[in-house]
Each structure stands twice: as structure tokens, then as C-alpha cells.
């Protein structure tokens, strides 16, 4: 028996939690005259709320600017955001609710588990997801035909780190991974990158997610002879603890980190221990205004109350920009099927050194990976 989906409310979080702009949850929502609905599921409460709010603010501002410029052939965009608390089960529920209530596309999920949880809904409803902020998992497999990835894979990130260390004639690399599902999965990915480079890690160390064994691991690293670098596959709290404790143990080599950790919160947590800390980057520098897309992103953030430029913020901007370009090509009477075809045929999108191109059967849009090092003042240098 079919049932009418329940109406949803877009959840926006500012100084206080508020509900705004309920929308009609039926097929008419995507008529040729109504708004074009874009759905997103983000952690707007809980430990990752600050990240979710930053991404939401950027998407809201982009939609507002687009509508002021005439929308899509005269139709406004409507962004509907649901809070998933960084829970995969809640993300799965949110994805179903957004699709049932007329979203023509989903956008900017955060984290491998949460993004993977959307896949069954994407497949059954033929709804495209643009800009999964996850570097591995099911959304990277060929079966994920409705997923349009802009960011490069985690394996590409680790490969870039290994190549950088090798490029200066060094090969004694330690691997430190978080002792949980995320860390062990990342470790297997790292093994692929090391095999491709014909290298073996000098040691593999498991780091607790709360960093409670960081001092012990720092001592182990300090005892290694001729260590050339450490690749860290861990979340921000564990990474901060490991680097801080290792520096106290006089471990002076460079620490290489995944792009997800390239943010000001981690920089502040490192305090005086920022020198020699390197991050993979998956988008151009968000401070390089010579790149047109970056300049546009910076202009979007120029109004009061907007977040400061960041790598993740720029990624969210490029994701929604790419989706909107696909909607423009699909036209006013867009549908999920038309949008998928439009994204497949957008052609090259050049964002500085980052080239994005989709094609039918090829939805890994970019392979770009850069590297940025922190200086002693906590600034990112590319």
C-alpha cells in the first residue's frame, strides 16, 4: 500500500536551534513551477555540529545568491537540511525522508559511514548524490551509479603522502591508525598504497580514538632508528594527542595527515607543535583568490556571520556549485533522471589545479590531491 510521505521541515542552526520553512511533501514539489528541492543530511547537533553548521551556512548562502540571480530558469532552489547527529542510522532515515518529499538530489553528506548509509535509498529512488565527503567505502564502488564524487579517494591521499616522502629519498615510514572501524579500514587502504610504491611500513601502531595511549606511541616512535615520516590515519582528537606527545618525546619527523584533519580546530589543539605537520588537500587553497571559484567562495563568505575560509568549506562550495551547474543544464523541468544525464555531460570543470569531469559510468570526478604544511604560526603553506 502506498502512503503519502510526511511533510518535513528544513532545520537551520544559528545562535539557537530553529525550525524554518516547512515544504509540501508530494510529487508536485518538483513541478515546472514550484521550487527545485535539494536535500542534505548533516550533523547539526552533537560533537560534529560545528562542521555541519559551517557546511550548511555555505549551502544556504549559495542558494540565496542563486535565487537572487534568477534561480534555475526562473525557478527558485530550496535547500532542506535534516540533522543526522553524525549517526549512520539517522542519515539513512533522513535520506529516505528527503527523497520521499521530493528532493531532486542529495548533497554534501559527511563521513564514510553516514554517506554509505544513503546508498540503498539512492539506488531504489535513482536520486543523485553530489559531493560525498568520504574517501572510501561503498560510494566508491561501481554499483554506486547515482553517486557523483568530487573529492579524490583516501587511497589517492595516502599515495600522495608516500610519493612526497619518497621524492626526497626517504622510505622509512611509520603508520599510525585509529583503533576502530575507520582506522582499520584506512589501514587496509594504506597497505594498497604502500604495495603500489613497493614499500613496507617500518611499524604499524594502533592509536585509541581518545588518544589515551598517545604518549606510549610517541615513546615507541622516538626509539625507532632513522625514521623518515609518520602517516596518521585518525580523527582530530587522537591526531592532536599523538603529535603533541610525540614532539614531547623529541620525534622531529614530519607527520602526514588526511585532508579531513586540515582545519583550524586541530591547528589550535596542536598549540606550539604545528611545525612539520602536513595535510593532504582535496581542493585548491581556500585563500588563493586568483582562482575564480575560490574568489567567488570568498565573496560568499564576506557578509557578517559567515564562517572563515577553510578547505572543507571550499569543498562544500564546489560541490553545490557543480550540482547547480547540472541543474542549469537539466533545465526548468528537471527530474532526477535528467539531472543524472546533465551531470554526466557537463564536460570539464576547472577549479584551479582541480579538474572535475564526470561521464556515464565514471563518477569519480577528480583525482586532485595536494599537500599543505603548517608553519610555526599555524598557517597552511602549499
Amino acid at each position: 500500500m502506498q502512503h503519502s510521505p510526511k511533510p518535513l521541515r528544513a532545520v537551520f542552526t544559528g545562535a539557537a536551534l530553529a525550525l524554518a520553512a516547512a515544504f509540501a511533501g508530494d510529487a508536485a514539489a518538483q513541478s515546472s513551477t514550484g521550487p527545485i528541492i535539494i536535500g542534505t543530511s548533516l550533523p547539526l547537533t552533537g560533537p560534529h555540529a560545528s562542521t555541519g553548521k559551517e557546511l550548511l551556512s555555505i549551502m544556504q548562502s549559495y542558494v540565496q545568491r542563486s535565487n537572487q540571480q534568477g534561480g534555475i530558469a526562473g525557478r527558485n532552489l530550496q535547500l532542506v537540511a535534516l540533522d543526522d547527529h553524525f549517526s549512520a542510522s539517522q542519515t539513512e532515515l533522513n535520506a529516505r525522508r528527503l527523497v520521499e518529499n521530493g528532493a531532486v538530489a542529495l548533497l554534501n553528506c559527511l563521513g564514510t559511514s553516514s554517506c554509505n548509509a544513503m546508498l540503498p535509498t539512492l539506488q531504489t529512488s535513482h536520486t543523485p548524490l553530489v559531493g560525498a565527503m568520504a574517501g572510501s567505502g561503498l560510494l566508491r564502488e561501481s554499483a554506486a551509479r547515482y553517486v557523483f564524487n568530487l573529492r579524490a579517494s583516501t587511497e589517492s591521499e595516502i599515495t600522495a603522502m608516500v610519493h612526497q616522502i619518497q621524492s626526497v629519498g626517504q622510505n622509512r615510514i611509520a603508520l599510525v591508525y585509529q583503533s576502530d572501524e575507520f582506522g582499520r579500514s584506512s589501514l587496509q587502504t594504506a597497505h594498497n598504497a604502500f604495495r603500489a610504491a613497493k614499500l613496507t611500513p617500518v611499524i604499524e601502531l594502533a592509536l585509541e580514538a581518545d588518544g589515551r595511549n598517545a604518549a606510549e606511541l610517541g615513546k615507541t616512535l622516538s626509539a625507532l632508528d632513522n625514521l623518515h615520516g609518520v602517516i596518521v590515519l585518525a580523527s582530530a582528537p587522537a591526531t592532536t594527542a599523538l603529535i603533541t606527545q610525540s614532539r614531547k618525546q623529541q620525534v622531529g619527523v614530519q607527520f602526514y595527515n588526511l585532508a579531513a584533519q586540515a582545519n583550524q580546530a586541530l591547528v589550535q589543539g596542536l598549540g606550539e607543535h604545528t611545525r612539520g605537520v602536513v595535510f593532504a588537500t582535496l581542493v585548491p587553497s581556500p585563500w588563493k583568490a586568483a582562482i575564480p571559484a575560490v574568489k567567488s567562495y570568498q565573496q560568499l563568505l564576506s557578509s557578517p556571520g559567515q564562517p572563515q575560509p577553510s578547505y572543507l568549506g571550499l569543498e562544500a562550495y564546489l560541490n553545490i556549485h557543480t550540482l547547480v551547474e547540472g541543474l542549469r543544464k537539466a533545465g526548468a523541468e528537471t527530474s532526477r533522471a535528467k539531472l543524472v544525464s546533465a551531470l554526466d555531460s557537463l564536460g570539464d570543470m576547472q577549479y584551479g589545479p582541480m579538474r572535475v569531469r564526470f561521464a556515464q559510468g565514471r563518477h569519480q570526478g577528480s583525482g586532485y590531491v595536494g599537500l599543505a604544511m603548517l608553519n610555526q604560526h599555524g598557517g597552511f603553506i602549499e
Side-chain angles (χ1 to χ4, degrees):
M1 179 180 295
Q2 292 184 340
H3 64 279
S4 297
K6 296 180 180 179
L8 301 181
R9 287 181 178 270
V11 180
F12 304 110
T13 307
L17 186 65
L19 297 178
F23 69 91
D26 57 28
Q30 291 298 67
S31 70
S32 60
T33 57
I36 298 174
I37 300 168
I38 301 170
T40 187
S41 178
L42 293 169
L44 301 176
T45 57
H48 298 278
S50 60
T51 299
K53 292 174 186 177
E54 176 186 0
L55 303 183
L56 180 56
S57 178
I58 291 164
M59 288 187 282
Q60 287 175 322
S61 297
Y62 191 102
V63 165
Q64 181 180 26
R65 184 174 72 181
S66 179
N67 288 341
Q68 289 171 346
Q69 296 172 348
I72 305 298
R75 293 180 65 188
N76 279 348
L77 298 174
Q78 184 173 2
L79 177 69
V80 180
L82 296 181
D83 184 5
D84 59 36
H85 324 294
F86 206 62
S87 162
S89 59
Q90 185 61 50
T91 303
E92 180 182 17
L93 175 62
N94 288 353
R96 291 204 307 270
R97 293 180 68 198
L98 290 163
V99 166
E100 288 171 358
N101 284 273
V104 72
L106 302 184
L107 175 69
N108 280 339
C109 61
L110 183 65
T112 299
S113 295
S114 292
C115 292
N116 285 345
M118 289 184 167
L119 190 55
T121 295
L122 303 178
Q123 292 175 327
T124 57
S125 65
H126 303 173
T127 302
L129 166 65
V130 177
M133 294 179 167
S136 59
L138 298 174
L139 269 65
R140 295 279 166 175
E141 298 179 3
S142 59
R145 58 178 299 191
Y146 298 104
V147 180
F148 290 82
N149 293 299
L150 268 75
R151 66 159 54 187
S153 68
T154 299
E155 184 169 343
S156 297
E157 291 184 66
I158 298 172
T159 296
M161 299 174 194
V162 172
H163 285 176
Q164 172 61 27
I165 298 171
Q166 285 185 309
S167 71
V168 292
Q170 299 176 335
N171 55 26
R172 290 182 55 79
I173 308 170
L175 268 178
V176 179
Y177 63 96
Q178 192 159 294
S179 184
D180 60 11
E181 181 181 355
F182 156 70
R184 287 186 287 272
S185 174
S186 299
L187 179 64
Q188 292 304 312
T189 301
H191 287 164
N192 295 336
F194 272 73
R195 278 195 295 270
K198 299 181 180 180
L199 283 181
T200 302
V202 295
I203 195 170
E204 296 179 3
L205 300 173
L207 174 64
E208 297 297 331
D210 60 4
R212 63 179 179 270
N213 65 334
E216 176 186 343
L217 267 57
K219 185 176 182 180
T220 300
L221 292 172
S222 69
L224 295 174
D225 292 330
N226 299 319
L227 182 64
H228 295 149
V230 181
I231 293 178
V232 186
L233 310 171
S235 61
T239 299
T240 301
L242 175 72
I243 295 175
T244 300
Q245 292 298 325
S246 296
R247 292 299 191 225
K248 291 179 179 179
Q249 297 283 350
Q250 306 304 312
V251 180
V253 299
Q254 291 180 338
F255 282 78
Y256 291 79
N257 305 273
L258 296 174
Q261 310 312 328
N263 57 69
Q264 286 300 319
L266 188 140
V267 172
Q268 292 172 4
L270 290 174
E272 62 180 334
H273 302 294
T274 56
R275 187 191 294 271
V277 179
V278 181
F279 299 87
T281 61
L282 302 174
V283 295
S285 169
W287 300 280
K288 195 169 184 179
I291 299 173
V294 174
K295 182 178 181 179
S296 181
Y297 165 65
Q298 292 177 348
Q299 290 172 341
L300 194 73
L301 301 183
S302 61
S303 58
Q306 290 296 323
Q308 294 296 310
S310 71
Y311 287 104
L312 195 64
L314 178 58
E315 182 178 355
Y317 177 88
L318 296 180
N319 289 344
I320 191 170
H321 177 74
T322 300
L323 171 58
V324 170
E325 289 301 300
L327 288 169
R328 292 190 194 286
K329 183 163 187 176
E333 297 186 13
T334 190
S335 65
R336 292 163 185 164
K338 286 183 178 179
L339 177 56
V340 168
S341 296
L343 289 168
D344 277 340
S345 58
L346 271 180
D348 284 354
M349 294 165 283
Q350 197 71 39
Y351 304 132
M354 179 185 179
R355 174 180 175 266
V356 178
R357 183 182 179 87
F358 300 118
Q360 188 172 5
R362 183 186 181 277
H363 289 176
Q364 178 54 56
S366 170
Y368 171 76
V369 180
L371 292 172
M373 180 185 292
L374 289 179
N375 62 23
Q376 60 181 338
H377 305 294
F380 290 91
I381 302 172
E382 294 192 3

